[in-house]
Coordinates of all heavy atoms in Angstrom, one line a residue:
F29 N 7.4 -6.8 19.3 CA 6.5 -5.7 19.7 C 5.1 -6.4 20.2 O 4.5 -6.0 21.1 CB 6.2 -4.9 18.5 CG 5.0 -3.9 18.7 CD1 5.1 -2.8 19.5 CD2 3.8 -4.2 18.1 CE1 4.1 -1.9 19.7 CE2 2.7 -3.3 18.3 CZ 2.9 -2.1 19.1
F30 N 4.5 -7.4 19.4 CA 3.2 -8.0 19.8 C 3.4 -8.8 21.0 O 2.5 -9.1 21.8 CB 2.7 -8.7 18.5 CG 2.0 -7.9 17.5 CD1 2.8 -7.5 16.4 CD2 0.7 -7.3 17.8 CE1 2.2 -6.7 15.4 CE2 0.3 -6.5 16.8 CZ 1.0 -6.1 15.8
K31 N 4.6 -9.4 21.2 CA 4.8 -10.2 22.5 C 4.7 -9.3 23.7 O 4.1 -9.7 24.7 CB 6.3 -10.8 22.4 CG 6.6 -11.5 23.7 CD 8.1 -12.0 23.5 CE 8.7 -12.4 24.8 NZ 9.1 -11.4 25.7
E32 N 5.2 -8.1 23.6 CA 5.3 -7.2 24.8 C 3.8 -6.6 24.8 O 3.4 -5.9 26.0 CB 6.2 -6.3 24.6 CG 7.7 -6.7 24.6 CD 8.0 -7.4 26.0 OE1 7.7 -6.8 27.0 OE2 8.5 -8.5 25.8
L33 N 3.0 -6.5 23.9 CA 1.7 -5.7 23.8 C 0.8 -6.4 24.9 O 0.3 -5.5 25.7 CB 1.1 -5.8 22.3 CG -0.1 -5.0 22.2 CD1 0.3 -3.5 22.2 CD2 -0.7 -5.3 20.8
N34 N 0.6 -7.6 24.9 CA -0.2 -8.3 25.8 C -0.1 -9.7 25.9 O 0.6 -10.3 24.8 CB -1.8 -7.9 25.7 CG -2.3 -8.2 24.3 OD1 -2.1 -9.4 23.7 ND2 -3.1 -7.3 23.6
N35 N -0.7 -10.5 26.6 CA -0.6 -12.0 26.8 C -1.5 -12.7 25.8 O -1.4 -14.1 25.8 CB -0.7 -12.4 28.2 CG 0.4 -12.1 29.1 OD1 1.5 -11.9 28.5 ND2 0.1 -12.0 30.3
M36 N -2.3 -12.0 25.2 CA -3.3 -12.8 24.2 C -2.5 -13.6 23.2 O -1.7 -12.9 22.4 CB -4.2 -11.6 23.6 CG -5.1 -12.4 22.4 SD -6.3 -13.7 23.2 CE -7.4 -12.7 24.2
P37 N -2.7 -14.8 22.9 CA -2.0 -15.5 21.8 C -2.4 -14.9 20.4 O -3.4 -14.3 20.3 CB -2.6 -17.0 21.9 CG -3.0 -17.0 23.3 CD -3.6 -15.7 23.6
M38 N -1.6 -15.0 19.4 CA -1.9 -14.6 18.2 C -1.2 -15.5 17.1 O -0.4 -16.4 17.4 CB -1.3 -13.1 17.9 CG 0.2 -13.1 17.9 SD 0.9 -11.5 17.5 CE 0.4 -11.1 15.9
S39 N -1.8 -15.4 15.9 CA -1.0 -16.1 14.9 C 0.1 -15.5 14.2 O 0.0 -14.6 13.5 CB -2.3 -16.3 13.8 OG -1.6 -17.0 12.6
T40 N 1.3 -16.3 14.5 CA 2.5 -15.7 13.9 C 2.5 -16.0 12.4 O 3.3 -15.4 11.6 CB 3.7 -16.4 14.6 OG1 3.6 -17.7 14.6 CG2 3.9 -15.8 16.0
T41 N 1.8 -17.0 12.0 CA 1.7 -17.3 10.6 C 1.2 -16.2 9.7 O 1.7 -15.7 8.7 CB 0.9 -18.5 10.3 OG1 1.3 -19.7 11.0 CG2 0.7 -19.0 8.9
W42 N 0.2 -15.5 10.3 CA -0.4 -14.4 9.5 C 0.6 -13.2 9.4 O 0.7 -12.5 8.5 CB -1.7 -13.9 10.3 CG -2.9 -14.8 10.0 CD1 -2.9 -16.1 10.0 CD2 -4.3 -14.4 10.0 NE1 -4.2 -16.6 9.7 CE2 -5.0 -15.4 9.6 CE3 -4.9 -13.2 10.0 CZ2 -6.5 -15.5 9.6 CZ3 -6.3 -13.1 9.9 CH2 -7.0 -14.2 9.5
V43 N 1.2 -13.1 10.6 CA 2.3 -12.0 10.6 C 3.3 -12.2 9.5 O 3.7 -11.4 8.7 CB 3.0 -11.7 12.0 CG1 4.2 -10.8 11.9 CG2 2.1 -11.5 13.0
F44 N 3.9 -13.5 9.4 CA 4.8 -13.9 8.4 C 4.4 -13.8 7.0 O 5.1 -13.4 6.1 CB 5.5 -15.3 8.8 CG 6.6 -15.7 7.9 CD1 7.8 -15.0 8.2 CD2 6.4 -16.5 6.9 CE1 8.8 -15.4 7.3 CE2 7.6 -17.0 6.2 CZ 8.8 -16.2 6.4
I45 N 3.2 -14.3 6.8 CA 2.6 -14.2 5.4 C 2.5 -12.8 4.9 O 2.7 -12.4 3.9 CB 1.1 -15.0 5.4 CG1 1.5 -16.4 5.6 CG2 0.5 -14.7 4.1 CD1 2.2 -17.2 4.6
G46 N 2.0 -11.9 6.0 CA 2.0 -10.5 5.7 C 3.3 -9.8 5.3 O 3.4 -9.0 4.4
L47 N 4.3 -10.2 6.1 CA 5.7 -9.8 5.9 C 6.2 -10.1 4.4 O 6.7 -9.3 3.7 CB 6.6 -10.4 6.9 CG 8.0 -10.1 6.7 CD1 8.5 -8.7 6.8 CD2 8.9 -10.8 7.8
L48 N 5.9 -11.4 4.1 CA 6.4 -11.9 2.7 C 5.7 -11.2 1.7 O 6.1 -10.8 0.6 CB 6.3 -13.4 2.5 CG 7.2 -14.3 3.3 CD1 7.0 -15.7 3.0 CD2 8.7 -13.9 3.1
A49 N 4.3 -10.9 1.9 CA 3.4 -10.4 0.9 C 4.0 -8.9 0.6 O 4.1 -8.4 -0.4 CB 2.0 -10.3 1.3
G50 N 4.1 -8.1 1.8 CA 4.5 -6.7 1.6 C 5.9 -6.6 1.0 O 6.2 -5.7 0.2
R51 N 6.9 -7.4 1.3 CA 8.1 -7.5 0.7 C 8.0 -7.8 -0.8 O 8.6 -7.1 -1.5 CB 9.0 -8.6 1.5 CG 10.3 -8.8 0.8 CD 11.1 -10.0 1.4 NE 12.3 -10.3 0.8 CZ 12.4 -11.2 -0.3 NH1 11.4 -11.7 -0.7 NH2 13.7 -11.5 -0.8
E52 N 7.4 -8.7 -1.1 CA 7.3 -9.3 -2.6 C 6.6 -8.1 -3.4 O 7.2 -7.7 -4.4 CB 6.4 -10.4 -2.7 CG 6.7 -11.2 -4.0 CD 7.9 -11.9 -4.0 OE1 8.7 -12.1 -3.0 OE2 8.1 -12.4 -5.0
L53 N 5.6 -7.4 -2.9 CA 4.9 -6.5 -3.6 C 5.8 -5.2 -3.7 O 5.8 -4.5 -4.7 CB 3.6 -6.0 -2.9 CG 2.7 -4.9 -3.6 CD1 2.3 -5.4 -5.0 CD2 1.5 -4.7 -2.9
G54 N 6.5 -4.8 -2.7 CA 7.3 -3.6 -2.6 C 8.5 -3.8 -3.6 O 8.7 -2.7 -4.4
M55 N 9.0 -4.9 -3.8 CA 10.1 -5.1 -4.6 C 9.6 -5.1 -6.0 O 10.4 -4.5 -6.9 CB 10.8 -6.6 -4.5 CG 11.6 -6.7 -3.1 SD 12.0 -8.4 -2.8 CE 13.2 -8.7 -4.2
R56 N 8.4 -5.6 -6.3 CA 8.0 -5.6 -7.7 C 7.6 -4.1 -8.1 O 7.9 -3.6 -9.3 CB 6.7 -6.3 -7.8 CG 6.9 -7.8 -7.6 CD 7.9 -8.4 -8.5 NE 8.1 -9.9 -8.4 CZ 9.1 -10.7 -8.9 NH1 10.0 -10.0 -9.6 NH2 9.1 -11.9 -8.7
I57 N 6.9 -3.4 -7.3 CA 6.6 -2.0 -7.6 C 7.9 -1.1 -7.7 O 7.9 -0.4 -8.6 CB 5.6 -1.4 -6.4 CG1 4.3 -2.1 -6.5 CG2 5.5 0.1 -6.6 CD1 3.5 -1.7 -5.2
R58 N 8.8 -1.2 -6.9 CA 10.0 -0.4 -7.0 C 10.8 -0.8 -8.3 O 11.5 0.1 -8.8 CB 10.9 -0.6 -5.7 CG 12.1 0.2 -5.6 CD 11.4 1.6 -5.0 NE 12.4 2.6 -4.8 CZ 13.0 3.5 -5.7 NH1 12.5 3.5 -6.9 NH2 13.7 4.4 -5.2
A59 N 10.7 -2.0 -8.7 CA 11.5 -2.4 -9.9 C 10.8 -2.0 -11.2 O 11.3 -2.1 -12.3 CB 11.7 -4.0 -9.8
Q60 N 9.6 -1.5 -11.1 CA 8.7 -1.0 -12.1 C 8.7 -2.2 -13.2 O 8.8 -1.9 -14.5 CB 9.2 0.3 -12.8 CG 9.3 1.5 -11.8 CD 9.9 2.7 -12.4 OE1 10.7 2.7 -13.3 NE2 9.4 3.8 -11.8
E61 N 8.2 -3.2 -12.7 CA 8.2 -4.5 -13.7 C 6.8 -4.5 -14.3 O 6.0 -3.7 -13.9 CB 8.5 -5.6 -12.9 CG 9.9 -5.9 -12.4 CD 10.2 -7.2 -11.6 OE1 9.2 -7.6 -11.2 OE2 11.3 -7.5 -11.5
G62 N 6.6 -5.2 -15.5 CA 5.4 -5.2 -16.2 C 4.3 -5.8 -15.3 O 4.4 -6.5 -14.3
S63 N 3.0 -5.6 -16.0 CA 1.7 -6.0 -15.3 C 1.8 -7.5 -15.1 O 1.0 -8.0 -14.2 CB 0.6 -5.6 -16.1 OG 0.7 -6.0 -17.4
A64 N 2.4 -8.2 -16.0 CA 2.3 -9.8 -15.8 C 2.9 -10.1 -14.6 O 2.5 -11.0 -13.7 CB 3.2 -10.3 -17.0
K65 N 4.2 -9.7 -14.2 CA 4.9 -10.0 -13.0 C 4.2 -9.5 -11.7 O 4.1 -10.1 -10.7 CB 6.3 -9.4 -12.9 CG 7.1 -10.2 -13.9 CD 8.6 -10.0 -13.7 CE 9.6 -10.8 -14.5 NZ 10.9 -10.5 -14.4
L66 N 3.5 -8.4 -11.9 CA 2.8 -7.8 -10.9 C 1.6 -8.6 -10.5 O 1.2 -8.9 -9.4 CB 2.3 -6.3 -11.1 CG 2.1 -5.4 -9.9 CD1 3.4 -5.2 -9.2 CD2 1.7 -4.1 -10.5
A67 N 0.8 -9.0 -11.7 CA -0.3 -10.0 -11.4 C 0.1 -11.3 -10.8 O -0.5 -11.8 -9.9 CB -0.9 -10.3 -12.9

């Protein structure tokens, strides 16, 4: 999507770190795990 958006270079590292962060947080919240694992 961002490749087709425009020719401006971007940090794919930031995209990937965001992806892992959202995935990890979503899994923890959905599993209703304790505050220690969420922290």
